[in-house]
Every structure is written in C-alpha cells, then in structure tokens.
Amino acid sequence: MRFQLTTCLLLIGSYFTIAQTRVENPTDSILAQQLDEVIVTATRTERQLSSLPLPVTIVGKKQIIKSGSVRLNEILNEQTGIITVADESGFQGVQIQGIASDYILILIDGVPLVGRSAGNFDLSRLTVGNIKQIEVVKGPSSSLYGSEALGGVINIITEKPKTEALTGNASYRIGSFSQQDINLDLKQAFKKFRYGFFANRFSSNGYDLNEDVEGNTVNPFTNYTLNGRLYYDFNDNLSLFASGRFYDQNQDAGFTLDSIQYQGDTKEREWNAHTRLDHKWTPNLTMAYELYYTNYIATELLADPISTAILSDSDFNQKLFRPEVRGSYTFSSKNNTETTGFQNGTLTAGIGLQLDELDRTYFDKTVNFSSQYAYAQYDFDPIENLNVIAGARFDNHSEYNNQFSPKLALRYQLNDNLSIKGSIGYGFKAPDFRQLYFDFTNSAVGYTVLGYNVALDKLKELEEQDQILNVVVTEDDLSKPLEAESSIGYNLGFNLKHGQGNTEVNFFRNDFKNLIDTRIIARKTNGQNVFSYVNFDEIYTTGFEINSAYQLTNDLNISAGYQLLYAFDKQKKQDIKDNQVFVRDPNNGQTIALSQTDYFGLVNRSRHNANFKIYYDIPAAQTNLNIRLLYRSKYAQFDTNGNGLIDNYDSSFIDGFVTVNAAASKTFYNNFTLQVGANNFLDYTDNNIPTMPGIQGYLKLNYQF
C-alpha cells in the first residue's frame, strides 16, 4: 500500500512534467527562482545552479516563507533525499544519500558550526528567519572542506542588505503546544556601509506522546538567537564583512518517577564571530582573508529534591578558531592557451589553520586538535559545452595520518535542453574527541566506554583496582593510531528542461572504509564489558534520486521527488553469504541461517522516500496556498534479536507513513501577511518517533517594511 502511494505520487509528478501547457511571460515562480539561483558552496565561487556538474539542492527564501517553516530541520526534511533523524538525545540530524548526520558538515555563511555532543548536529538550533537560501551539496566534499564533509555540506546563507531604505520584517507565530516564534529582522545599506540585525525567540511548552510513561517526551524550552552583520566597502576593490551570532537555550530536564519529581535543566550557549576582508587585486584576481571563532557550551544538571543529591552533572565546552586565506584567479578569453597554458576558467586556492579544543565531563583533561590545510580547484571549459572541475585538498592533523582528498566533476551540455554530469570524490572524517578521549562508566549498569587514545592507560588502572576479569585484545591492537574514516563517492545524472518544466536524475554510490565503531576490549569482574573504538566497518549506500518541477500556469507550480536507497554493511553481507548469521524463527522457534533477502540494511534507512508539492498564487487576492506531501517507507531503529544487524525478523521497524504539511497566506494593506498552516496534517504519531507529536497547527502574522 505504501509503495503504491509512492508510485502514485511519481506518476502524478511525471504527468505534469511532460504536459505541454505553454505559459506566456511567467511570473517569479519557485521553479524559475531555483533555476536562476547563484550558489557558492559547491565551488567556493559564484555559479548558477543549473550549470553545476555536482548534485546540489538549493532552498530559497520564498520557498521557506511560503512553507511556514521556522527551524532548519523542518525545511530540510521536505527536500528529496534528505531525511532528519533523531539520536538518543533527541537532537535532529540530517541524513543525505543514506549517509548519517555525523558525516555532514554544517556551515553558516561558509564557516563551520560545532557542538555535536552526541554525534548529531542539532538542526533545530538554527532558525530560518534571516536566511537568504540554503545550499546542500550531496556526496564527498572534503576536497574543499576537509573533515566532516565526507557525506556532504549544508551551507546557510544569510541575507545581505541592498537598499538605503530601512527594510525588514517583524513576525509572531503561535502554534500547538504553545509553541511561539518571534522574529525581528532589520537591514539597511548606505553608500559604503551596510548592516543587518536579526533577533529570534522560540519557545514551547513541550509535549507527551505516551501518558503511560511518566515524564514528558519533550520538556518545555525557550531559546534566543541574535545575529548582527556589518558590511563596509572601503572602495570598489576592498570590502569588509563582520558577523556575530549568539544562541542561548534553557530547557527543563526534570521528570517524575515513582511519584518523585526530580529537578534539573539543560542549557546550551553558542557564540560565533566571523570577519572577512575581500580584496580585488586585479579584474581577474580576488583574495579573501578570513578569521573565525566559535564556542559551544552545553550543561545538564539533575538532582534528587529529597536528598539534594546530584544525579547527573555534565558539561560540554567546545571551541574552534580558524584563520584562512583564499584566492580566485579567472583566466579570461584574452588569456588563451598560447600565453597562459590554461583554457578559460577559474583557479581557486586556499590555506588555513584550524584549532579545536574540547573540555567535557568524562575527559581527564581539556584536549586539543590542530590541523593545517591547503586546497586548490580549477573550474574550466576545455571544449565547447564541457565544464570540468578538478580539485584536491591536503590536511595535516595532530591526531591522525595526513589526508589527501581529490575530486573531479564534469558536465556536458548535449543540447539546449539536456545536459549530463558526473563526479567522483574522496571524503574523510577525523576521529572525534569522544572516540579518542572518552572515559565513562555507567554507574547503574556498570559497563565502561574508553576513548582509543586513553584505553591502554585506563585498562591498567582498572586492572590495578581488580575490576578486570580478562583483556580480550592485545596491546598492539590499541597502539596503532585510529585511522580517519573515509569514502569514495560517485554521482552520475542528467538534467532535462521540457517546456516550463525541469527534471533532474542522479545515480549515486558511496563506499566507506575504516568506519569507527565500538568493540569489547575487556570483561569486568561485575560481568559487564569495557568498550573502546576500532576501525573495521565497510559499508556502502547506493541508489538514485529524481526531482521534477513544472510551472503549469503563471501562478501554479508543482514538483515531485523520489529517492531509492540501499545501504548495507559489506562484512554483514559476506557473513550472511557464508551462513554465519542466525535468527530464531518466531513461527516455530527454530534457529535458522539468515538469507540475503532477509537482510534489510543499516538502521534508520528507508528504502523509499518521496515528496509531492503544490504552490498556488492568487495575485488578485494577494493570497498563496501550498500543500506538501512527504512519504517515508519503513525503517528499523535498532537490532532486537541480537545477531548484530537489521533483518526482517527484528521488531523495531517503523511502518511507512505519509505526512502532509499545508499553509495558506493572505497579504493585506500591502505590508501585513497572515499565514495559517499545519504540519503533519494527518495527525500521524508513533511513540517511537519523539519528534512527531501529531498535528501541529499554527497562526503567523508578519509585518514587512
């Protein structure tokens, strides 16, 4: 039934995309906006989206506003091939081409954000109130961005002031669970000076999905975001950009257990400071000198109100400092190959230093990483209609082996309507602080988790305390450096323009090696285990995506998207082939060898994802309507039968489901817009999906000036 629904959505989308309706003088539609949008993340230079040889998704401001989204996770979850997944802390990270959130780099105005205390970067930390556009590059991007860009890059671009008149907006939105979102955005440009100021307050009373379990699913919280941006043009060739951002959240962490109300709270605080000097030395040469600093702090305190004993007290304090110098040189048509040795194109290169520091509970001391890097990329057209991007980056890191990350991408324009493109790239992710320095013992259960770099010393301490029964690895196993995780990604696709429509298809394959996972390194006298980390997993994700959009009339735009995904562990597949994986048949209780068809794949991966969207404007009434249907097929959250993989006999599957998001906006007196909408309009809930509390209606009033 679910698969039939997916097929229906695709057929509907295909029907519209091959329709031959002609449109005279089209208006500024979402489709036209996306095709003409300029993107910078994929190449670090300005490129039109439709000309790129890489798989890229762009979400513009108009689409964000019309959808009624207020946080980054909401709008990204509606894009083809992008799924938001919550970790054990409830943080919502993003999955791209089946690649987990840990391997997706998050940027704001081209600089990285930090604060992955549990692995995921929590996308709900980011408001979309002052975003110009969101750029998503799919597949390995380490050739430009280094570690954590193994699976892709998401870059949030804020708006730049354009006019001398004071412009901006103020908005208030109230929704289910007393959710409130308040925005103030101001922008102004003078002859040489521009500024922007943005403030946001976001709060909720929380909600409870399971009344049979004491405590809320999500506790009440309030957060604030402040962002100031300054631009100064010294002259036509020299300009300065400076930005400061502050984020603060407080959330009630208390809960009730056995009629006792435990008290506590969690706090998050983030600072970002970013300056960049852009210098145009010649008409062909532009340099950028950049300094960036960020600090993310998270604390959690939980106490017993009767004994006042501290049940949990944890701290996470991460800092990053990064200076970078980069430049772009354009070889114009006047500089032919006889004089320069280069075809027409742009050479981009940069060098930088990155200093990371983390002080957190369960670390013996504050730990530091340092790395130096250099990258270069050449974007050129060797022959007519062929665009080639070739680049590479070298990273020298204090904690793991040097990394060399090449990438090659090509795009060929077959005719005015059809182009093909392909790319191959290498990506890597450095072992993180937790995997190297963690020292945690669960006081209730008794197991221990040790970071790789401290495992040997900590094991000796536990042995001296007579807590170790036996060690199951050799000293050599913990002496070699932990390798960086790596991948090679392949993408091949085409772009077809048809009348007032556009269809893009992309086939992808990502092969990973040296993935880091936990393993048992010793057994304790209390019957529990000591875990550490090791390189051993080899996995792959493969499939294809199709996106199709069509402008039926001046005011009616529709789009449809679908992703087919296969994600497997290579060693698990081999073990099954060798008849080494078993499962108990629930029908007869017998133990049987698992077959290849029973192996479902990696956790939290759905085989099918689809979306269908309709945007309709009524200019005479200054009204717009939209509806977005999202489908996700079944997936499993964890292994329940103990054989170490997800198979059809596991019981943690979430059945496939459809969510419907809708919004309607009406503008009056030219400056005021009233929007009413609802996410998850079908009121879908599942106790095992804490981020879906049923229908979420809202009402928003916006004043544009």
Side-chain angles (χ1 to χ4, degrees):
M1 177 64 184
R2 298 302 189 185
F3 184 77
Q4 290 175 346
L5 177 58
T6 305
T7 305
C8 289
L9 292 178
L10 290 174
L11 290 175
I12 293 171
S14 300
Y15 167 78
F16 283 123
T17 57
I18 63 175
Q20 297 299 314
T21 305
R22 301 295 296 176
V23 180
E24 301 294 334
N25 301 320
T27 58
D28 184 15
S29 67
I30 289 178
L31 172 61
Q33 173 195 357
Q34 290 177 331
L35 292 176
D36 296 335
E37 204 73 68
V38 171
I39 187 169
V40 297
T41 310
T43 62
R44 288 208 170 186
T45 57
E46 292 188 353
R47 286 286 303 268
Q48 189 172 330
L49 175 64
S50 59
S51 72
L52 280 170
L54 299 165
V56 174
T57 295
I58 190 168
V59 185
K61 180 180 179 180
K62 289 184 178 180
Q63 185 178 352
I64 296 172
I65 292 175
K66 288 183 177 182
S67 71
S69 300
V70 294
R71 312 307 280 187
L72 184 62
N73 56 301
E74 296 176 357
I75 190 66
L76 285 180
N77 201 44
E78 296 186 355
Q79 312 309 312
T80 303
I82 301 176
I83 299 295
T84 56
V85 179
D87 61 19
E88 62 271 18
S89 300
F91 290 167
Q92 286 196 71
V94 65
Q95 184 188 108
I96 298 176
Q97 291 186 349
I99 303 171
S101 169
D102 308 46
Y103 309 100
I104 310 299
L105 183 63
I106 310 296
L107 308 173
I108 184 166
D109 289 325
V111 292
L113 296 172
V114 300
R116 300 170 182 260
S117 57
N120 278 350
F121 181 94
D122 187 15
L123 298 174
S124 65
R125 274 166 47 188
L126 299 171
T127 176
V128 298
N130 67 331
I131 290 179
K132 173 190 174 186
Q133 64 191 42
I134 305 165
E135 302 173 357
V136 182
V137 182
K138 299 178 179 179
S141 302
S142 293
S143 61
L144 284 177
Y145 296 99
S147 179
E148 294 183 15
L150 179 148
V153 176
I154 298 173
N155 192 10
I156 302 146
I157 310 294
T158 57
E159 273 199 292
K160 186 176 182 179
K162 296 179 180 179
T163 65
E164 291 191 8
L166 178 64
T167 60
N169 68 83
S171 67
Y172 174 75
R173 181 179 118 155
I174 186 168
S176 302
F177 315 113
S178 299
Q179 187 185 90
Q180 298 182 71
D181 185 79
I182 306 171
N183 280 331
L184 175 63
D185 188 25
L186 304 173
K187 299 181 292 291
Q188 193 170 18
F190 301 97
K191 291 183 178 180
K192 292 187 175 184
F193 175 72
R194 307 180 188 200
Y195 74 89
F197 174 77
F198 173 76
N200 170 263
R201 181 187 184 275
F202 184 58
S203 64
S204 171
N205 283 351
Y207 53 83
D208 185 16
L209 294 181
N210 192 348
E211 295 182 356
D212 295 332
V213 177
E214 293 185 291
N216 287 335
T217 304
V218 172
N219 285 326
F221 65 85
T222 302
N223 64 51
Y224 298 88
T225 301
L226 300 175
N227 178 222
R229 306 178 308 284
L230 301 175
Y231 309 79
Y232 189 79
D233 300 323
F234 296 97
N235 52 52
D236 292 340
N237 298 319
L238 186 65
S239 61
L240 175 69
F241 165 73
S243 173
R245 177 176 170 272
F246 172 71
Y247 170 83
D248 182 84
Q249 173 169 289
N250 286 276
Q251 182 171 23
D252 180 12
F255 65 92
T256 302
L257 182 62
D258 296 331
S259 301
I260 300 176
Q261 178 64 46
Y262 292 90
Q263 299 174 345
D265 58 33
T266 62
K267 298 180 179 180
E268 294 179 77
R269 180 165 293 183
E270 180 182 9
W271 296 90
N272 309 105
H274 180 199
T275 62
R276 186 182 69 245
L277 188 67
D278 296 307
H279 189 188
K280 190 173 184 179
W281 288 88
T282 70
N284 290 11
L285 175 63
T286 301
M287 298 291 295
Y289 311 91
E290 189 172 68
L291 283 175
Y292 175 64
Y293 172 80
T294 183
N295 179 208
Y296 173 82
I297 301 172
T299 62
E300 180 179 16
L301 181 64
L302 189 63
D304 184 337
I306 299 177
S307 65
T308 68
I310 302 298
L311 303 180
S312 174
D313 186 4
S314 63
D315 298 281
F316 184 98
N317 187 346
Q318 185 175 4
K319 300 175 183 178
L320 181 147
F321 174 69
R322 194 189 79 173
E324 181 176 295
V325 178
R326 61 179 176 272
S328 293
Y329 186 84
T330 301
F331 299 92
S332 63
S333 58
K334 296 180 180 179
N335 298 331
N336 57 39
T337 55
E338 295 179 0
T339 59
T340 66
F342 288 93
Q343 300 283 356
N344 299 339
T346 300
L347 177 65
T348 302
I351 58 173
L353 167 69
Q354 186 159 306
L355 302 175
D356 294 89
E357 178 182 293
L358 178 61
D359 181 14
R360 72 173 297 181
T361 307
Y362 313 122
F363 282 17
D364 284 346
K365 60 181 180 180
T366 301
V367 293
N368 298 274
F369 289 169
S370 65
S371 62
Q372 305 81 39
Y373 60 87
Y375 60 87
Q377 174 186 268
Y378 190 45
D379 182 351
F380 66 108
D381 301 323
I383 61 173
E384 187 177 2
N385 296 332
L386 177 63
N387 176 237
V388 178
I389 297 178
R393 171 169 163 147
F394 178 79
D395 285 81
N396 175 47
H397 198 277
S398 61
E399 297 296 330
Y400 60 90
N401 293 337
N402 298 336
Q403 296 290 316
F404 179 71
S405 309
K407 188 165 189 173
L408 177 66
L410 303 92
R411 178 182 181 275
Y412 187 74
Q413 190 73 39
L414 291 170
N415 53 51
D416 291 342
N417 297 319
L418 180 62
S419 63
I420 59 174
K421 58 185 179 180
S423 65
I424 178 173
Y426 174 87
F428 78 96
K429 179 182 180 294
D432 61 33
F433 290 108
R434 174 177 50 88
Q435 292 163 342
L436 294 178
Y437 295 101
F438 208 45
D439 180 10
F440 170 75
T441 297
N442 184 289
S443 57
V445 180
Y447 67 85
T448 296
V449 183
L450 300 175
Y452 186 85
N453 283 8
V454 300
L456 275 177
D457 291 338
K458 295 299 179 181
L459 270 181
K460 292 178 181 178
E461 290 181 12
L462 292 174
E463 285 180 314
E464 292 172 357
Q465 299 167 6
D466 294 325
Q467 294 190 44
I468 299 298
L469 182 64
N470 65 302
V471 178
V472 299
V473 298
T474 66
E475 186 170 324
D476 288 342
D477 289 335
L478 298 174
S479 298
K480 299 176 182 178
L482 201 61
E483 298 286 341
E485 301 171 286
S486 63
S487 76
I488 297 179
Y490 309 85
N491 288 273
L492 178 64
F494 64 85
N495 186 280
L496 175 65
K497 297 179 182 178
H498 35 81
Q500 297 301 319
N502 184 77
T503 295
E504 186 169 13
V505 177
N506 184 63
F507 295 87
F508 61 86
R509 166 92 181 199
N510 299 284
D511 284 281
F512 298 80
K513 68 177 183 179
N514 289 331
L515 262 66
I516 299 172
D517 205 343
T518 56
R519 65 166 170 176
I520 297 172
I521 63 171
R523 304 192 186 280
K524 302 179 73 173
T525 54
N526 63 0
Q528 295 297 323
N529 297 316
V530 179
F531 299 89
S532 189
Y533 297 89
V534 67
N535 297 111
F536 65 84
D537 281 345
E538 292 189 2
I539 69 170
Y540 70 89
T541 70
T542 188
F544 75 89
E545 296 175 0
I546 178 170
N547 275 293
S548 192
Y550 198 83
Q551 184 175 328
L552 286 175
T553 70
N554 288 3
D555 307 311
L556 179 60
N557 291 271
I558 68 167
S559 66
Y562 170 74
Q563 181 195 67
L564 174 69
L565 173 68
Y566 293 92
F568 294 104
D569 186 311
K570 296 179 181 180
Q571 186 59 53
K572 300 297 185 185
K573 291 192 72 174
Q574 185 60 47
D575 291 343
I576 294 172
K577 184 178 180 181
D578 296 338
N579 293 319
Q580 296 180 3
V581 182
F582 300 91
V583 67
R584 186 179 297 276
D585 190 329
N587 295 321
N588 54 32
Q590 295 182 350
T591 298
I592 59 174
L594 206 65
S595 67
Q596 292 283 359
T597 56
D598 287 326
Y599 181 27
F600 188 81
L602 302 181
V603 297
N604 281 324
R605 270 74 170 186
S606 294
R607 188 68 40 83
H608 310 283
N609 290 283
N611 62 73
F612 181 68
K613 306 173 188 177
I614 301 174
Y615 291 87
Y616 182 51
D617 292 322
I618 310 175
Q622 292 186 292
T623 299
N624 66 74
L625 312 169
N626 66 80
I627 184 170
R628 295 101 60 204
L629 284 75
L630 312 175
Y631 169 70
R632 183 177 183 183
S633 68
K634 74 171 186 176
Y635 63 96
Q637 295 185 311
F638 51 88
D639 170 36
T640 59
N641 52 33
N643 59 10
L645 52 77
I646 301 299
D647 58 66
N648 291 329
Y649 295 94
D650 280 307
S651 58
S652 68
F653 280 99
I654 304 293
D655 290 333
F657 58 90
V658 174
T659 55
V660 177
N661 302 334
S665 301
K666 163 69 177 176
T667 300
F668 52 96
Y669 301 119
N670 294 323
N671 299 102
F672 291 90
T673 299
L674 182 66
Q675 184 179 59
V676 59
N679 293 334
N680 194 9
F681 199 79
L682 299 180
D683 200 24
Y684 174 81
T685 60
D686 190 308
N687 290 340
N688 295 309
I689 310 178
T691 55
M692 295 191 66
I695 188 170
Q696 301 167 64
Y698 60 86
L699 183 69
K700 179 180 178 180
L701 180 63
N702 183 78
Y703 174 62
Q704 187 80 31
F705 55 88

